Each structure stands twice: as C-alpha cells, then as structure tokens.
Amino acid sequence: MDQSFADRLARIQTTQTPEAVTGGETMDLIGSTNRNTLPSMQELYPTVKHKTYDQKFKMAIVNNLILGLIWMLPTGYAAVNFLPVADFLAGADPSDQSVLNIRVGLGVGLLVSFGLFYWVGREALRDLGKAHGMPASLAIGGAIGAVIGVGPATVFRLFLEYSAV
C-alpha cells in the first residue's frame, strides 16, 4: 500500500491497451495523446561537443592573429598620418590649445601602443620554440596590421604628391 500514484498508474497502463482516437492517433488511460507535444529539450538545445585541446589551441592562435591585426592597423595608420588624424580628432573649429592637447594625447597613445608591441615582440622572440606560441601569433598579427595600416596610407600620399605635378 505504500506505492506512489505514479507507480500504480504505470502498472495500470501496462495492463491496458491504448484506445484508438479519430485521426489515427492513440490515447492512453489518462486521455493524453501525442497530438500537441512539444519537442524535447535535447532537440531544441542540442549538446555541443567539447573542443579538443588542439582545436582550442588553433582557435587561440587565430584569435591572436586577428587581435594583433585589429590592434596595430589603426596604430600604423595614425603613426603615418599623425597630423591629419590629430586635426580630425580635434574637430571642426578647434582652438590652438585643443589641437596641441590632441597631438600630445595621440602621441602618448602611439608611444604606449608601440611600446606594448615592442614588449609583445620581445616575448615572442623569447618564447620561440615553446609549445604555446601565443605571443608570436599576436606579434605576427600586429606586424601584419601595422604594414596594412601604413601601406595604403603611404601609397595614397605618394600618389597625391606626384600626381599634382
């Protein structure tokens, strides 16, 4: 007599046959059909397979390459076009003091960025041959970003200087 209701219902359902309902479905003892059932949670949110260490390592290297590219591309562009970038950041009608402040701030920002890039490059050279390679991928991405940031601006400036002849 100490059985729960669910145990008794399950025992009763095993002895009873499902009833046929119109539409070709079957109804169990308590009157439920599969007509309006929702998909299981596993179907809605399937379990993602865990990445292996090798996959995580490769993803980290690619992410560091992209981060280095994103970091150094504007740094290289701002270094080559220092005065136009400072004038752009100063606004439409700046005072001489605000232009000076913008140039000092931009110069300090560039020094910090290049100093950090130097540190990352030094760490990359120090870690050559080791298993992780993270500073190297960040340094390579940064070098590519700096070349891309400097390259098109320099070519465009040379084109403007020599086409006005």
Side-chain angles (χ1 to χ4, degrees), residues 1-164:
M1 284 302 202
D2 57 342
Q3 292 179 339
S4 68
F5 176 73
D7 292 337
R8 285 183 281 159
L9 185 61
R11 185 174 41 82
I12 292 169
Q13 284 182 346
T14 58
T15 61
Q16 301 291 323
T17 59
E19 295 292 323
V21 183
T22 57
E25 296 181 11
T26 57
M27 178 174 59
D28 61 4
L29 184 65
I30 59 173
S32 64
T33 63
N34 289 333
R35 183 176 299 162
N36 294 323
T37 57
L38 295 173
S40 69
M41 293 303 286
Q42 184 62 30
E43 293 173 11
L44 292 174
Y45 303 105
T47 305
V48 179
K49 293 179 72 174
H50 294 289
K51 290 183 174 43
T52 63
Y53 178 77
D54 192 41
Q55 290 172 331
K56 290 179 185 177
F57 178 74
K58 289 177 183 175
M59 188 182 340
I61 286 183
V62 169
N63 286 342
N64 279 343
L65 284 170
I66 293 170
L67 285 174
L69 183 81
I70 291 171
W71 165 35
M72 286 304 287
L73 195 131
T75 302
Y77 181 79
V80 170
N81 297 315
F82 183 78
L83 294 177
V85 169
D87 291 340
F88 172 77
L89 292 175
D93 191 20
S95 65
D96 292 338
Q97 185 65 34
S98 66
V99 171
L100 177 66
N101 291 340
I102 292 290
R103 287 180 182 169
V104 169
L106 184 62
V108 169
L110 287 174
L111 283 175
V112 168
S113 184
F114 282 121
L116 288 174
F117 184 68
Y118 169 75
W119 178 74
V120 167
R122 194 181 71 217
E123 290 297 317
L125 290 176
R126 192 177 288 171
D127 287 346
L128 279 179
K130 293 186 180 170
H132 57 84
M134 298 306 159
S137 61
L138 186 61
I140 291 169
I144 292 170
V147 167
I148 291 173
V150 168
T154 305
V155 170
F156 185 68
R157 182 183 296 152
L158 290 174
F159 172 75
L160 289 178
E161 285 178 6
Y162 291 113
S163 66

